Amino acid sequence: MKAILLAGGQGRRLRSITGNLPKPMVPLVGVPVLDRLLDLLRRNGFTDVCMTLCYRPEVIQEHCGDGSDYGVHLKYRIESEPRGTAGGVRACSDFYGREDFLVISGDAACDFDLRALWNEHRRAHAAVTMALYPHEAPLPYGLAVTDGEGWVRSFIEKPAWERVVTDLVNTGIYVLSPEVLRFIPADTPFDFARDLFPRLMASGRGIRGVPMEGYWRDIGDPGSYYRANLDAWEGKLRLPEQRGGALERAPEAFSERARYACRV
C-alpha cells in the first residue's frame, strides 16, 4: 500500500526546540517524529512512501535515505514554494497513479490503526476517508460533523465555543481515491480542508469520517509538543519500545541515528 507523508514544515513556533531543523525532525522521546511516523506506516502495511519536502529538504533526505533502514521504499518530491496540503499531494500523482493512497502529516504524534482506516475506505467506496479524533480542546482545529451513517455533512473550521457541536477534529490523515485529483488545480496553492473538501461535497462526492481509537496530537506549538512527550512517557501514546504501559528505558538507550535530531 502507498502513503504520502507531508514533511515540508519549517516549524516557526517550535524554533526554540528545533533550531534550524525541519519540523518533522523534532524529537519525540528521543526519536524524531518523522522516524516514528515511518515506523507507524510500515507496521500498518504502508511500505511505499513518498515524502513531500520544502524547508531544508537535504536534512531529511540525508537522514532517511532510501527508507531501507525503516523497512519502506522511500521517494521524495521537493517543493520550491509551498503548494498547500492538497497541492503537494497532486504533485505526487506519478507516485500513486490510479491507486488509492494514504496521506499523513509529518507534525503529529499518532498511534492509529491506519489499516482499519484503509479498510473502511475500501468498504464504503468513498472519495475521501478521514481520520477523526475526539479532542479535549477542539477550538484550534477543524471539526467534522457526520450523520448517523458516518458521512461528513459539514465542516467547522476553528470554531468559537458556541459553534462547537462535536469534539471530533480533522487529524489531517486521509485515504484518498485518485478520482479526487481532478478537483485539485495544478498551478496554485490548494488545501484539503479549506479548498478541496468543499468542492467534493458540492459535487456530491462522499467524504467518510471515521472516529479513531488510540492517540493523536498535533505538535506544532511548544505546549502541545511538551504534552505529547509526557503522554508518551505515561503510556497514553503507544510506542514500539513500550512494555505494558509507560516507557521502560530512557532516551539515552536509543541509537545515535535517533539522537541526531534532538535539540531539547
Side-chain angles (χ1 to χ4, degrees):
M1 295 186 291
K2 295 184 175 181
I4 296 176
L5 203 164
L6 306 178
Q10 182 174 349
R12 290 185 178 89
R13 290 178 296 170
L14 288 177
R15 184 61 58 84
S16 61
I17 299 167
T18 61
N20 63 347
L21 288 175
K23 181 165 59 171
M25 294 291 287
V26 66
L28 180 61
V29 197
V31 178
V33 169
L34 190 57
D35 290 22
R36 299 283 189 194
L37 291 173
L38 287 171
D39 181 69
L40 178 69
L41 290 172
R42 179 193 56 78
R43 287 187 283 112
N44 281 271
F46 295 91
T47 55
D48 288 316
V49 182
C50 186
M51 196 180 300
T52 65
L53 308 176
C54 187
Y55 176 70
R56 298 201 66 196
E58 73 283 354
V59 174
I60 292 178
Q61 287 178 299
E62 181 180 352
H63 178 73
C64 296
D66 63 2
S68 57
D69 287 351
Y70 306 92
V72 302
H73 305 289
L74 188 55
K75 297 181 178 179
Y76 301 95
R77 297 292 183 272
I78 300 176
E79 303 174 5
S80 57
E81 296 181 358
R83 296 175 175 170
T85 51
V89 167
R90 189 189 191 283
C92 302
S93 59
D94 62 324
F95 167 73
Y96 52 80
R98 298 182 179 180
E99 300 179 43
D100 291 353
F101 58 97
L102 179 100
V103 176
I104 188 168
S105 175
D107 58 0
C110 178
D111 63 8
F112 286 167
D113 183 349
L114 300 176
R115 192 184 291 270
L117 185 72
W118 177 272
N119 291 339
E120 175 61 19
H121 176 79
R122 302 298 291 271
R123 186 198 67 79
H125 303 287
V128 176
T129 301
M130 62 171 53
L132 305 178
Y133 185 71
H135 202 287
E136 74 278 4
L139 296 188
Y141 303 99
L143 308 184
V145 180
T146 58
D147 63 17
E149 297 181 350
W151 296 99
V152 176
R153 295 308 177 195
S154 64
F155 294 98
I156 308 173
E157 282 298 315
K158 299 181 179 180
W161 268 116
E162 60 268 18
R163 296 190 64 211
V164 175
V165 296
T166 178
D167 63 349
L168 291 176
V169 304
N170 174 10
T171 63
I173 302 174
Y174 316 116
V175 180
L176 276 70
S177 297
E179 67 177 271
V180 306
L181 186 66
R182 65 188 184 89
F183 292 90
I184 305 174
D187 301 319
T188 183
F190 210 71
D191 283 317
F192 282 115
R194 186 182 66 237
D195 303 310
L196 177 61
F197 294 158
R199 288 194 182 189
L200 289 177
M201 295 184 69
S203 72
R205 266 64 176 182
I207 300 178
R208 193 82 175 158
V210 181
M212 302 294 290
E213 296 182 357
Y215 182 94
W216 176 89
R217 182 176 291 274
D218 175 85
I219 59 166
D221 66 80
S224 186
Y225 167 72
Y226 177 65
R227 183 69 257 174
N229 276 273
L230 290 179
D231 289 343
W233 280 115
E234 295 169 0
K236 298 175 184 177
L237 167 63
R238 296 168 295 177
L239 300 176
E241 60 267 26
Q242 286 171 335
R243 296 292 184 272
L247 292 176
E248 293 187 348
R249 57 176 175 166
E252 288 75 17
F254 293 107
S255 67
E256 287 297 329
R257 185 180 184 85
R259 290 202 299 269
Y260 165 78
C262 189
R263 293 292 183 271
V264 176

